[in-house]
Coordinates of all heavy atoms in Angstrom, one line a residue:
M145 N 76.6 -124.3 -12.3 CA 75.6 -123.4 -11.8 C 76.2 -122.0 -11.9 O 77.2 -121.7 -11.4 CB 75.2 -123.8 -10.4 CG 74.1 -122.9 -9.9 SD 73.6 -123.2 -8.2 CE 72.9 -124.8 -8.3
G146 N 75.5 -121.0 -12.5 CA 75.9 -119.7 -12.7 C 75.7 -118.8 -11.4 O 74.9 -119.2 -10.5
K147 N 76.5 -117.8 -11.3 CA 76.3 -116.9 -10.2 C 75.1 -116.0 -10.3 O 74.7 -115.6 -11.4 CB 77.5 -115.9 -10.1 CG 78.8 -116.5 -9.6 CD 79.8 -115.5 -9.5 CE 81.1 -116.0 -8.9 NZ 82.1 -115.0 -8.7
K148 N 74.4 -115.8 -9.2 CA 73.2 -114.9 -9.2 C 73.7 -113.5 -9.3 O 74.6 -113.1 -8.5 CB 72.4 -115.1 -7.9 CG 71.2 -114.4 -7.9 CD 70.4 -114.6 -6.6 CE 69.1 -113.8 -6.6 NZ 68.4 -113.9 -5.3
K149 N 73.1 -112.7 -10.2 CA 73.5 -111.3 -10.3 C 73.0 -110.5 -9.0 O 71.9 -110.8 -8.5 CB 72.8 -110.7 -11.5 CG 73.4 -111.1 -12.8 CD 72.7 -110.4 -13.9 CE 73.3 -110.8 -15.3 NZ 72.6 -110.1 -16.4
N150 N 73.7 -109.5 -8.7 CA 73.3 -108.7 -7.6 C 72.3 -107.7 -8.1 O 72.5 -107.0 -9.1 CB 74.5 -107.8 -7.0 CG 75.5 -108.7 -6.3 OD1 75.1 -109.7 -5.7 ND2 76.7 -108.3 -6.2
T151 N 71.1 -107.7 -7.6 CA 70.0 -106.9 -8.0 C 70.1 -105.6 -7.2 O 70.2 -105.6 -6.0 CB 68.6 -107.5 -7.8 OG1 68.6 -108.7 -8.5 CG2 67.5 -106.6 -8.2
I152 N 70.0 -104.5 -7.9 CA 70.0 -103.2 -7.2 C 68.7 -102.4 -7.5 O 68.1 -102.7 -8.6 CB 71.3 -102.3 -7.5 CG1 71.3 -102.0 -9.0 CG2 72.5 -103.0 -7.1 CD1 72.4 -101.0 -9.3
K153 N 68.3 -101.6 -6.6 CA 67.2 -100.7 -6.8 C 67.6 -99.4 -7.4 O 68.5 -98.7 -6.8 CB 66.4 -100.5 -5.5 CG 65.1 -99.8 -5.7 CD 64.3 -99.8 -4.4 CE 63.0 -99.2 -4.6 NZ 62.2 -99.3 -3.4
I154 N 67.1 -99.0 -8.5 CA 67.5 -97.8 -9.2 C 66.3 -96.8 -9.4 O 65.3 -97.2 -9.8 CB 68.1 -98.1 -10.6 CG1 69.2 -99.1 -10.5 CG2 68.5 -96.8 -11.4 CD1 69.7 -99.6 -11.8
L155 N 66.5 -95.6 -9.0 CA 65.5 -94.5 -9.2 C 66.0 -93.7 -10.4 O 67.0 -93.2 -10.5 CB 65.5 -93.6 -8.0 CG 64.6 -92.3 -8.2 CD1 63.2 -92.6 -8.5 CD2 64.8 -91.4 -6.9
I156 N 65.1 -93.7 -11.4 CA 65.3 -93.0 -12.7 C 64.5 -91.7 -12.5 O 63.3 -91.7 -12.2 CB 64.8 -93.7 -13.9 CG1 65.6 -95.0 -14.1 CG2 64.8 -92.8 -15.1 CD1 64.9 -95.9 -15.2
V157 N 65.1 -90.5 -12.7 CA 64.5 -89.2 -12.7 C 64.6 -88.7 -14.1 O 65.6 -88.2 -14.5 CB 65.1 -88.3 -11.6 CG1 64.3 -87.1 -11.4 CG2 65.3 -89.0 -10.3
E158 N 63.5 -88.7 -14.8 CA 63.5 -88.4 -16.2 C 62.1 -87.9 -16.6 O 61.1 -88.6 -16.3 CB 63.8 -89.6 -17.0 CG 63.7 -89.5 -18.5 CD 64.5 -88.4 -19.2 OE1 65.7 -88.5 -19.1 OE2 63.9 -87.5 -19.7
D159 N 62.0 -86.7 -17.2 CA 60.7 -86.2 -17.6 C 60.1 -86.7 -18.9 O 58.9 -86.6 -19.1 CB 60.7 -84.6 -17.6 CG 61.7 -84.1 -18.6 OD1 62.8 -84.6 -18.7 OD2 61.4 -83.0 -19.2
S160 N 61.0 -87.3 -19.7 CA 60.5 -87.9 -21.0 C 60.0 -89.3 -20.7 O 60.8 -90.2 -20.4 CB 61.6 -87.9 -22.0 OG 61.3 -88.8 -23.1
P161 N 58.7 -89.6 -20.9 CA 58.2 -90.9 -20.6 C 58.9 -92.0 -21.5 O 59.2 -93.1 -21.1 CB 56.7 -90.8 -20.9 CG 56.4 -89.4 -20.8 CD 57.6 -88.6 -21.2
T162 N 59.2 -91.6 -22.8 CA 59.8 -92.5 -23.7 C 61.2 -92.9 -23.3 O 61.6 -94.0 -23.2 CB 59.9 -91.9 -25.1 OG1 58.5 -91.6 -25.6 CG2 60.5 -92.8 -26.1
Q163 N 62.0 -91.9 -22.9 CA 63.4 -92.1 -22.4 C 63.3 -93.0 -21.1 O 64.1 -93.9 -21.0 CB 64.1 -90.8 -22.2 CG 64.4 -90.0 -23.4 CD 65.4 -90.6 -24.3 OE1 65.9 -91.7 -24.1 NE2 65.7 -90.0 -25.3
A164 N 62.4 -92.6 -20.2 CA 62.3 -93.4 -19.0 C 62.0 -94.8 -19.2 O 62.5 -95.7 -18.6 CB 61.3 -92.7 -18.0
E165 N 61.0 -95.0 -20.1 CA 60.6 -96.4 -20.4 C 61.7 -97.2 -21.0 O 61.9 -98.4 -20.7 CB 59.3 -96.4 -21.2 CG 58.6 -97.7 -21.3 CD 58.2 -98.2 -19.9 OE1 57.7 -97.5 -19.1 OE2 58.3 -99.5 -19.7
N166 N 62.4 -96.6 -21.9 CA 63.5 -97.3 -22.6 C 64.6 -97.7 -21.6 O 65.1 -98.8 -21.6 CB 64.2 -96.5 -23.7 CG 63.3 -96.4 -24.9 OD1 62.5 -97.2 -25.2 ND2 63.5 -95.3 -25.7
L167 N 65.0 -96.8 -20.7 CA 66.0 -97.0 -19.7 C 65.5 -98.1 -18.7 O 66.2 -99.0 -18.3 CB 66.4 -95.7 -19.0 CG 67.5 -95.8 -18.0 CD1 68.8 -96.4 -18.6 CD2 67.8 -94.4 -17.5
K168 N 64.3 -98.0 -18.3 CA 63.7 -98.9 -17.4 C 63.7 -100.3 -18.0 O 64.1 -101.3 -17.3 CB 62.2 -98.5 -17.1 CG 61.5 -99.5 -16.1 CD 60.1 -99.0 -15.8 CE 59.5 -100.0 -14.8 NZ 58.1 -99.7 -14.6
H169 N 63.4 -100.4 -19.2 CA 63.4 -101.7 -19.9 C 64.8 -102.4 -19.9 O 65.0 -103.5 -19.6 CB 62.8 -101.6 -21.3 CG 62.9 -102.8 -22.1 ND1 62.0 -103.9 -21.9 CD2 63.8 -103.2 -23.1 CE1 62.3 -104.9 -22.8 NE2 63.4 -104.5 -23.5
I170 N 65.8 -101.6 -20.3 CA 67.2 -102.0 -20.3 C 67.6 -102.5 -18.9 O 68.2 -103.6 -18.8 CB 68.1 -100.9 -20.8 CG1 67.8 -100.7 -22.3 CG2 69.6 -101.3 -20.6 CD1 68.5 -99.4 -22.9
L171 N 67.3 -101.7 -17.9 CA 67.8 -102.0 -16.6 C 67.0 -103.3 -16.0 O 67.6 -104.1 -15.3 CB 67.6 -100.8 -15.6 CG 68.5 -99.7 -16.0 CD1 68.1 -98.4 -15.2 CD2 70.0 -100.0 -15.7
E172 N 65.7 -103.4 -16.3 CA 65.0 -104.5 -15.8 C 65.4 -105.8 -16.5 O 65.4 -106.9 -15.9 CB 63.5 -104.3 -15.9 CG 62.9 -103.3 -14.9 CD 61.5 -103.0 -15.0 OE1 60.9 -103.2 -16.1 OE2 60.9 -102.5 -14.1
E173 N 65.8 -105.7 -17.7 CA 66.3 -106.9 -18.4 C 67.6 -107.4 -17.8 O 67.8 -108.6 -17.8 CB 66.6 -106.5 -19.9 CG 65.5 -106.6 -20.8 CD 65.9 -106.5 -22.3 OE1 67.0 -105.8 -22.6 OE2 65.2 -107.0 -23.1
Q174 N 68.3 -106.5 -17.1 CA 69.5 -106.9 -16.4 C 69.2 -107.4 -14.9 O 70.1 -107.7 -14.2 CB 70.5 -105.8 -16.3 CG 71.0 -105.4 -17.7 CD 71.7 -106.5 -18.4 OE1 72.6 -107.2 -17.9 NE2 71.3 -106.7 -19.7
G175 N 67.9 -107.4 -14.6 CA 67.5 -107.9 -13.3 C 67.4 -106.9 -12.2 O 67.2 -107.3 -11.0
H176 N 67.5 -105.6 -12.5 CA 67.4 -104.6 -11.5 C 65.9 -104.1 -11.3 O 65.1 -104.3 -12.2 CB 68.2 -103.4 -11.9 CG 69.7 -103.7 -12.2 ND1 70.5 -104.3 -11.2 CD2 70.4 -103.7 -13.3 CE1 71.7 -104.5 -11.7 NE2 71.7 -104.2 -13.0
R177 N 65.7 -103.6 -10.1 CA 64.4 -103.1 -9.8 C 64.4 -101.6 -10.1 O 65.4 -100.9 -9.7 CB 64.1 -103.3 -8.3 CG 63.9 -104.8 -8.0 CD 63.7 -105.0 -6.5 NE 64.9 -104.6 -5.8 CZ 65.0 -104.2 -4.6 NH1 63.9 -104.0 -3.9 NH2 66.2 -103.9 -4.0
V178 N 63.4 -101.1 -10.7 CA 63.4 -99.7 -11.2 C 62.2 -98.9 -10.7 O 61.1 -99.4 -10.7 CB 63.5 -99.6 -12.7 CG1 63.5 -98.2 -13.2 CG2 64.8 -100.3 -13.2
V179 N 62.4 -97.7 -10.2 CA 61.4 -96.8 -9.8 C 61.6 -95.5 -10.6 O 62.7 -95.1 -10.9 CB 61.5 -96.4 -8.3 CG1 60.4 -95.4 -7.9 CG2 61.4 -97.7 -7.4
H180 N 60.5 -94.9 -11.0 CA 60.6 -93.7 -11.9 C 59.9 -92.5 -11.3 O 58.8 -92.6 -10.8 CB 59.9 -94.0 -13.3 CG 59.8 -92.9 -14.2 ND1 58.6 -92.5 -14.8 CD2 60.8 -92.0 -14.6 CE1 58.9 -91.4 -15.5 NE2 60.2 -91.1 -15.5
A181 N 60.6 -91.4 -11.4 CA 60.1 -90.1 -11.0 C 60.1 -89.1 -12.2 O 61.1 -89.2 -13.0 CB 60.8 -89.5 -9.9
M182 N 59.2 -88.3 -12.4 CA 59.1 -87.4 -13.6 C 60.0 -86.1 -13.4 O 60.3 -85.5 -14.4 CB 57.7 -86.9 -13.8 CG 56.8 -88.0 -14.3 SD 57.2 -88.6 -16.0 CE 56.8 -87.2 -17.0
N183 N 60.4 -85.8 -12.2 CA 61.2 -84.6 -12.0 C 61.8 -84.7 -10.6 O 61.5 -85.6 -9.8 CB 60.4 -83.3 -12.1 CG 59.2 -83.2 -11.2 OD1 59.3 -83.4 -10.0 ND2 58.0 -83.0 -11.8
G184 N 62.7 -83.7 -10.2 CA 63.3 -83.7 -8.9 C 62.4 -83.7 -7.8 O 62.6 -84.3 -6.7
R185 N 61.3 -82.9 -7.9 CA 60.4 -82.8 -6.8 C 59.7 -84.2 -6.5 O 59.6 -84.6 -5.4 CB 59.3 -81.7 -7.1 CG 58.4 -81.4 -6.0 CD 57.8 -80.1 -6.2 NE 58.8 -79.2 -6.5 CZ 58.7 -77.8 -6.5 NH1 57.6 -77.3 -6.1 NH2 59.7 -77.1 -6.8
D186 N 59.3 -84.9 -7.6 CA 58.7 -86.2 -7.4 C 59.7 -87.2 -6.8 O 59.4 -88.0 -6.0 CB 58.2 -86.7 -8.8 CG 57.0 -86.0 -9.3 OD1 56.4 -85.2 -8.5 OD2 56.7 -86.1 -10.5
A187 N 61.0 -87.0 -7.3 CA 62.1 -87.9 -6.7 C 62.2 -87.7 -5.2 O 62.4 -88.7 -4.5 CB 63.4 -87.6 -7.5
L188 N 62.2 -86.5 -4.8 CA 62.3 -86.2 -3.3 C 61.2 -86.9 -2.6 O 61.4 -87.4 -1.5 CB 62.4 -84.7 -3.0 CG 63.7 -84.0 -3.4 CD1 63.6 -82.5 -3.1 CD2 64.9 -84.7 -2.7
A189 N 60.0 -86.8 -3.1 CA 58.9 -87.5 -2.4 C 59.1 -89.0 -2.4 O 58.8 -89.6 -1.3 CB 57.6 -87.1 -3.2
I190 N 59.6 -89.6 -3.4 CA 59.8 -91.0 -3.4 C 60.9 -91.3 -2.4 O 60.8 -92.3 -1.7 CB 60.2 -91.5 -4.8 CG1 59.0 -91.5 -5.8 CG2 60.9 -92.9 -4.8 CD1 59.3 -91.7 -7.2
L191 N 61.9 -90.5 -2.3 CA 63.1 -90.7 -1.4 C 62.7 -90.7 0.1 O 63.4 -91.2 0.9 CB 64.2 -89.8 -1.7 CG 64.9 -90.0 -3.1 CD1 65.8 -88.9 -3.4 CD2 65.7 -91.4 -3.0
K192 N 61.6 -90.1 0.4 CA 61.1 -90.1 1.8 C 60.8 -91.5 2.3 O 60.9 -91.8 3.4 CB 59.9 -89.1 1.9 CG 60.2 -87.7 1.8 CD 59.0 -86.8 2.0 CE 59.3 -85.4 1.9 NZ 58.2 -84.5 2.1
D193 N 60.3 -92.3 1.3 CA 59.8 -93.7 1.7 C 60.7 -94.8 1.2 O 60.7 -95.9 1.7 CB 58.4 -93.9 1.1 CG 57.4 -93.0 1.7 OD1 57.5 -92.6 2.9 OD2 56.5 -92.5 1.0
Q194 N 61.5 -94.5 0.2 CA 62.3 -95.5 -0.5 C 63.8 -95.1 -0.5 O 64.0 -93.9 -0.7 CB 61.8 -95.9 -1.9 CG 60.4 -96.3 -1.9 CD 59.9 -96.7 -3.3 OE1 60.7 -97.3 -4.1 NE2 58.7 -96.2 -3.7
K195 N 64.7 -96.0 -0.4 CA 66.1 -95.7 -0.5 C 66.7 -96.6 -1.6 O 67.1 -97.7 -1.4 CB 66.8 -96.0 0.9 CG 66.2 -95.2 2.0 CD 66.4 -93.7 1.8 CE 65.8 -93.0 3.0 NZ 65.1 -91.8 2.6
P196 N 66.8 -96.0 -2.8 CA 67.4 -96.8 -3.9 C 68.9 -96.9 -3.7 O 69.6 -96.1 -3.0 CB 67.1 -95.9 -5.1 CG 67.0 -94.5 -4.6 CD 66.4 -94.7 -3.2
D197 N 69.5 -97.8 -4.4 CA 71.0 -98.0 -4.4 C 71.7 -97.0 -5.3 O 72.8 -96.7 -5.1 CB 71.3 -99.4 -4.8 CG 70.7 -100.5 -3.9 OD1 71.1 -100.4 -2.7 OD2 69.9 -101.3 -4.3
L198 N 70.9 -96.6 -6.3 CA 71.5 -95.7 -7.3 C 70.4 -94.8 -7.8 O 69.2 -95.2 -8.0 CB 72.0 -96.5 -8.5 CG 72.5 -95.8 -9.7 CD1 73.9 -95.1 -9.4 CD2 72.8 -96.8 -10.9
I199 N 70.7 -93.5 -8.1 CA 69.8 -92.5 -8.7 C 70.4 -92.1 -10.0 O 71.6 -91.6 -10.1 CB 69.6 -91.3 -7.8 CG1 69.0 -91.8 -6.5 CG2 68.7 -90.3 -8.5 CD1 68.9 -90.6 -5.4
M200 N 69.6 -92.2 -11.1 CA 70.1 -91.7 -12.4 C 69.1 -90.6 -12.8 O 67.9 -90.8 -12.9 CB 69.9 -92.9 -13.4 CG 70.8 -94.1 -13.2 SD 70.6 -95.4 -14.3 CE 71.4 -94.7 -15.8
S201 N 69.7 -89.4 -12.9 CA 68.8 -88.2 -13.1 C 69.2 -87.5 -14.4 O 70.3 -87.3 -14.7 CB 69.0 -87.3 -11.9 OG 68.2 -86.1 -12.1
D202 N 68.1 -87.0 -15.0 CA 68.2 -86.1 -16.1 C 68.6 -84.7 -15.5 O 68.5 -84.6 -14.3 CB 66.8 -86.0 -16.8 CG 66.9 -85.2 -18.1 OD1 67.9 -84.7 -18.5 OD2 65.8 -84.9 -18.7
I203 N 69.1 -83.8 -16.3 CA 69.4 -82.5 -15.7 C 68.3 -81.5 -16.0 O 67.8 -80.8 -15.0 CB 70.7 -82.0 -16.4 CG1 71.9 -82.9 -16.0 CG2 71.0 -80.5 -15.9 CD1 72.2 -83.0 -14.5
I204 N 67.8 -81.4 -17.2 CA 66.8 -80.4 -17.6 C 65.4 -81.0 -17.5 O 65.1 -81.8 -18.3 CB 67.1 -79.8 -19.0 CG1 68.5 -79.2 -19.0 CG2 66.0 -78.8 -19.4 CD1 68.9 -78.8 -20.4
M205 N 64.7 -80.6 -16.4 CA 63.4 -81.1 -16.1 C 62.5 -79.9 -15.5 O 63.1 -79.0 -14.9 CB 63.4 -82.2 -15.1 CG 64.2 -83.4 -15.6 SD 64.2 -84.7 -14.3 CE 65.3 -83.9 -13.1
P206 N 61.2 -80.0 -15.7 CA 60.3 -79.0 -15.0 C 60.2 -79.3 -13.5 O 60.7 -80.3 -13.0 CB 59.0 -79.3 -15.7 CG 59.0 -80.7 -16.1 CD 60.4 -81.0 -16.5
E207 N 59.7 -78.3 -12.8 CA 59.5 -78.4 -11.4 C 60.8 -78.3 -10.6 O 60.9 -77.3 -9.8 CB 58.8 -79.7 -11.0 CG 57.4 -79.9 -11.6 CD 56.4 -79.0 -11.0 OE1 56.4 -78.6 -9.8 OE2 55.5 -78.5 -11.8
M208 N 61.7 -79.2 -10.7 CA 63.0 -79.2 -10.1 C 64.0 -79.9 -11.0 O 63.7 -81.1 -11.3 CB 62.9 -79.8 -8.7 CG 64.2 -79.9 -8.0 SD 64.2 -80.8 -6.4 CE 63.3 -79.7 -5.4
D209 N 65.0 -79.3 -11.4 CA 66.0 -79.9 -12.3 C 66.9 -80.8 -11.5 O 66.9 -80.9 -10.3 CB 66.7 -78.9 -13.2 CG 67.6 -78.0 -12.4 OD1 68.2 -78.4 -11.3 OD2 67.9 -76.9 -12.9
G210 N 67.8 -81.5 -12.3 CA 68.7 -82.5 -11.7 C 69.7 -81.9 -10.8 O 70.1 -82.5 -9.8
F211 N 70.2 -80.6 -11.1 CA 71.1 -80.0 -10.2 C 70.5 -79.7 -8.9 O 71.1 -79.9 -7.8 CB 71.6 -78.7 -10.9 CG 72.5 -78.9 -12.0 CD1 72.2 -78.4 -13.3 CD2 73.7 -79.6 -11.9 CE1 73.0 -78.6 -14.4 CE2 74.5 -79.8 -13.0 CZ 74.2 -79.3 -14.3
E212 N 69.3 -79.1 -8.9 CA 68.6 -78.9 -7.6 C 68.3 -80.1 -6.8 O 68.5 -80.1 -5.6 CB 67.2 -78.2 -7.9 CG 67.4 -76.8 -8.4 CD 66.0 -76.2 -8.8 OE1 65.5 -76.6 -9.8 OE2 65.6 -75.3 -8.0
L213 N 68.0 -81.2 -7.5 CA 67.8 -82.5 -6.8 C 69.1 -82.9 -6.1 O 69.0 -83.4 -5.0 CB 67.4 -83.6 -7.8 CG 67.3 -85.0 -7.3 CD1 66.3 -85.1 -6.2 CD2 66.9 -85.9 -8.4
C214 N 70.2 -82.8 -6.8 CA 71.5 -83.2 -6.1 C 71.7 -82.4 -4.9 O 72.2 -82.8 -3.9 CB 72.6 -83.1 -7.1 SG 72.6 -84.3 -8.4

């Protein structure tokens, strides 16, 4: 019997829908739960209600960039 993988919740902050969907697909194939925000401002709104284990953020985005989010 194989070991069960540890599932983590990941917030992807990425303004490119194509890039976000590709990354989401890769991570979900590995059994992780993924939430997506289009920019830093949307990410902050999500973080009010959800606490992901990991945040993966783009840097150059509209509204609020990755540096401001950090």
Side-chain angles (χ1 to χ4, degrees):
M145 184 183 294
K147 286 186 177 181
K148 184 179 177 186
K149 289 184 181 179
N150 290 333
T151 301
I152 63 172
K153 185 174 187 176
I154 302 170
L155 171 59
I156 297 171
V157 188
E158 170 62 63
D159 61 321
S160 165
T162 302
Q163 294 289 3
E165 195 57 40
N166 286 336
L167 186 53
K168 180 179 179 186
H169 176 74
I170 290 167
L171 294 169
E172 287 179 340
E173 276 189 332
Q174 297 301 310
H176 303 300
R177 294 174 293 149
V178 178
V179 178
H180 174 234
M182 290 294 292
N183 58 55
R185 190 162 307 197
D186 292 345
L188 287 178
I190 289 170
L191 290 169
K192 287 181 182 179
D193 297 322
Q194 301 181 44
K195 301 297 179 223
D197 300 300
L198 176 69
I199 300 172
M200 298 176 72
S201 180
D202 189 4
I203 296 299
I204 301 171
M205 298 178 288
E207 301 289 324
M208 178 187 288
D209 67 29
F211 290 121
E212 292 175 285
L213 172 60
C214 289

